[in-house]
């Protein structure tokens, strides 16, 4: 099992969520975050300077079975990629175990509902 965390543009969230659902990732956790980038200048919009060093992003986090990792990563990249600086990052970590609290199931079987 792997834990995947993706930091993406907030504007791309719905596309990424839908792409993950189509890739059989049915449960994600997300939260809004602010990061500090390397950019030194501000952006000018309608004659007003806006600070761009503090970047609003959304973090998506989920655990999936090993055979879905590449599919999930491809879905995130396809949905989140704009080709501009600041599209985000994806981090992958190993998960040693998971437990469904309701039933006590352990391991990869605890990550999905059996029909």
């Amino acid at each position: 099992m792997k834990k995947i965390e993706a930091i993406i543009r907030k504007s791309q969230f719905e596309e990424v969520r839908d792409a993950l659902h189509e890739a059989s990732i049915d449960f994600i956790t997300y939260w809004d975050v602010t990061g500090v980038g390397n950019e030194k200048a501000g952006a000018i919009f309608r004659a007003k300077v806006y600070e761009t060093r503090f970047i609003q992003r959304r973090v998506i986090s989920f655990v999936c079975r090993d055979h879905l990792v590449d599919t999930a990563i491809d879905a995130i990249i396809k949905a989140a990629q704009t080709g501009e600086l600041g599209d985000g990052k994806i981090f992958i970590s190993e998960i040693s175990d998971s437990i469904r609290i309701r039933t006590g199931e352990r391991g990869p079987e605890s990550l999905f509902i059996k029909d």
Side-chain angles (χ1 to χ4, degrees):
M1 295 178 294
K2 301 283 192 275
K3 179 178 183 181
I4 299 176
E5 289 185 313
I7 302 171
I8 62 169
R9 297 173 186 269
K10 289 174 83 172
S11 62
Q12 300 302 110
F13 175 72
E14 285 79 18
E15 290 88 345
V16 171
R17 180 198 61 207
D18 293 345
L20 286 171
H21 182 70
E22 288 185 24
S24 298
I25 305 299
D26 296 324
F27 182 81
I28 64 171
T29 302
Y30 70 91
W31 58 97
D32 293 333
V33 297
T34 302
V36 179
N38 290 328
E39 191 171 335
K40 303 292 187 241
I44 299 175
F45 181 71
R46 295 187 179 173
K48 185 173 179 183
V49 177
Y50 292 90
E51 180 66 56
T52 58
R53 290 185 310 140
F54 304 104
I55 304 167
Q56 298 292 314
R57 295 288 183 255
R58 185 156 283 166
V59 174
I60 297 171
S61 177
F62 58 93
V63 175
C64 67
R65 293 174 284 162
D66 290 333
H67 73 278
L68 292 174
V69 172
D70 290 335
T71 304
I73 291 168
D74 291 343
I76 294 168
I77 291 171
K78 183 177 178 185
Q81 190 174 60
T82 67
E84 301 292 325
L85 283 173
D87 276 349
K89 299 273 192 287
I90 300 172
F91 303 98
I92 305 162
S93 306
E94 187 71 36
I95 298 296
S96 63
D97 202 2
S98 70
I99 302 163
R100 184 189 310 262
I101 294 172
R102 179 176 53 89
T103 63
E105 288 175 283
R106 295 184 82 120
E109 292 76 27
S110 70
L111 298 179
F112 63 97
I113 298 172
K114 297 176 190 167
D115 294 329

